[in-house]
Amino acid sequence: MRAILAPTTPSLTRTVRDVLSIFKLRIGVMIMVTALASQAFTPGSPLTALQCVVLALSVLVSSASAGGFNQFYEFESDKLMARTRGRAFVTGALAHSSAWLWLFAVLLAGSVLATWTVINAVSALYVFLGAFTYAVVYTVWLKRRTWLNIVVGGLAGSFAVLAGGAAVDPTLGPLPLLMAAVLFLWTPPHFWSLAIANQSDYAHADVPMLPVVVGPQRAAQVVFFSTVGLVAISVLPAWFGAGPVYVLGSVVGGAYFLYKSWCLMRAPSRATAMGSFFASLLQLSLVLGTASIDGFLR
């Protein structure tokens, strides 16, 4: 325990808060919800209560392990960004020790093994690929090398969707595949909107996010046209068995995201970028929520 806690930890409560913060649990919960929505949306025999719990916890814990590794690996560059310089590894609240790497590996291995044992091997493979994509492909290989980092990194969320779909039907029909495509196309305009708002931070840290490479005006145009493609794909499930509840949610959420990304394209600023960012969260929430309702009604 001493290897992973800083020697001057002020209190148990603060220590617990610092430990939880490195796992990016808000992102993990969102990814967990995508997996659960996908299993509800996928036609087939419903999962048992135990299988649902294992799917949810496995996706959450594997995502947490990847998020923790991301903060561990990037603690030096996090010092350069106002948004991240308060993280526990940066401030020294938690010791930057290799013991953390063992913990992350154990969490991921436990998640994959639990999914394999209780659900099936295909779903377990996607659980692993989601964490591997975020931790290694995005964080280690791509983030500091190319503006395509977040495009490929978006596969992490798509693999969570596939894990949920494969839990019901390992052969993966059109609905879970289309939802995985939605998550893949959603990530770039979502993250690039945030990157436009925090462009100076990324430039200072020498991270080649799209707004740093091409400028905010061009990046805003890319966000808008990426959103057009996202919305078009998000309504396709209507032709493959999705019901009216899902169609309504995808249209309403998509229209709002399109409007906010259009505002961003017309007048790039921190305010319009954050408006587009929050609209992306609403759009995804409506897609996932109505997909779950649609599956329940079916």
Side-chain angles (χ1 to χ4, degrees), residues 19 22-23 61-62 64-73 89 97-111 131 135:
V19 170
I22 70 170
F23 291 114
V61 172
S62 65
S65 72
F69 176 82
N70 173 271
Q71 290 207 22
F72 181 90
Y73 185 84
F89 287 133
S97 162
S98 60
W100 286 105
L101 297 177
W102 287 103
L103 176 61
F104 302 148
V106 168
L107 291 174
L108 177 57
S111 300

Side-chain angles (χ1 to χ4, degrees), residues 35 46 64 67 77 93 95 103 142 258 270 285:
S77 61
L103 176 61
L142 298 178
L258 274 174
R270 178 173 175 80
S285 298

Side-chain angles (χ1 to χ4, degrees), residues 125-180:
L125 174 62
Y126 290 132
V127 169
F128 169 78
L129 288 175
F132 179 82
T133 299
Y134 185 75
V136 178
V137 178
Y138 169 69
T139 301
V140 178
W141 293 348
L142 298 178
K143 185 171 182 178
R144 297 192 163 275
R145 290 181 171 88
T146 172
W147 65 269
L148 291 170
N149 47 22
I150 203 63
V151 177
V152 180
L155 285 171
S158 298
F159 282 128
V161 172
L162 296 178
V168 176
D169 180 5
T171 62
L172 290 175
L175 288 180
L177 289 173
L178 284 170
M179 183 170 283

Side-chain angles (χ1 to χ4, degrees), residues 89-273:
F89 287 133
V90 177
T91 63
L94 297 177
H96 192 261
S97 162
S98 60
W100 286 105
L101 297 177
W102 287 103
L103 176 61
F104 302 148
V106 168
L107 291 174
L108 177 57
S111 300
V112 173
L113 180 61
T115 308
W116 192 327
T117 303
V118 178
I119 302 175
N120 61 58
V122 177
S123 185
L125 174 62
Y126 290 132
V127 169
F128 169 78
L129 288 175
F132 179 82
T133 299
Y134 185 75
V136 178
V137 178
Y138 169 69
T139 301
V140 178
W141 293 348
L142 298 178
K143 185 171 182 178
R144 297 192 163 275
R145 290 181 171 88
T146 172
W147 65 269
L148 291 170
N149 47 22
I150 203 63
V151 177
V152 180
L155 285 171
S158 298
F159 282 128
V161 172
L162 296 178
V168 176
D169 180 5
T171 62
L172 290 175
L175 288 180
L177 289 173
L178 284 170
M179 183 170 283
V182 168
L183 260 292
F184 178 71
L185 294 173
W186 174 83
T187 304
H190 163 76
F191 204 92
W192 285 335
S193 295
L194 184 63
I196 291 172
N198 295 285
Q199 179 191 359
S200 59
D201 261 7
Y202 287 111
H204 183 60
D206 199 27
V207 178
M209 289 298 173
L210 184 67
V212 176
V213 175
V214 303
Q217 180 66 61
R218 182 71 179 276
Q221 294 172 352
V222 175
V223 167
F224 174 75
F225 289 109
S226 298
T227 305
V228 171
L230 163 66
V231 174
I233 293 296
S234 70
V235 298
L236 278 183
W239 282 267
F240 294 92
V245 174
Y246 172 81
V247 174
L248 178 63
S250 63
V251 169
V252 171
Y256 185 66
F257 191 10
L258 274 174
Y259 169 69
K260 286 297 188 178
S261 63
W262 178 74
C263 291
L264 171 61
M265 182 176 66
R266 289 191 64 198
S269 67
R270 178 173 175 80
T272 55

